[in-house]
Amino acid sequence: MVKVRQSYAEVTATQRRLLKQKEQADALAEDWYKRAQLALGKGAEDLAKEALTRRLTQLDEAANLQSQIDAQ
């Protein structure tokens, strides 16, 4: 019974960690999107492209984390 509780606690802790990491990746993706909009507003297309590239990286990371969460 103790091992079952320990395993449950480990799974729960892992799921919480993954959820927190996904929330952070989503927040960073939103931040990069806002930066891209700001850069476009100032006419800096190269900076906007870089910001959107970084946003895509964060969205990929969030999707990967979501797959891990779903697998649990």
Side-chain angles (χ1 to χ4, degrees):
M1 191 68 152
V2 172
K3 288 190 178 203
V4 171
R5 287 183 183 166
Q6 287 175 339
S7 294
Y8 179 75
E10 288 175 13
V11 168
T12 303
T14 300
Q15 188 171 20
R16 285 183 188 154
R17 180 181 51 81
L18 289 172
L19 285 169
K20 186 173 182 174
Q21 288 176 342
K22 184 186 180 304
E23 288 173 6
Q24 290 173 341
D26 288 336
L28 282 172
E30 181 63 25
D31 184 52
W32 282 115
Y33 182 73
K34 289 177 182 176
R35 289 181 188 200
Q37 288 180 319
L38 183 63
L40 277 178
K42 294 184 177 186
E45 288 185 25
D46 55 334
L47 291 177
K49 286 179 184 178
E50 179 64 27
L52 289 175
T53 300
R54 291 182 186 217
R55 176 180 185 249
L56 285 175
T57 301
Q58 290 303 314
L59 290 174
D60 288 344
E61 179 66 21
N64 181 33
L65 290 165
Q66 185 62 51
S67 324
Q68 291 178 35
I69 292 166
D70 293 342
Q72 279 198 336

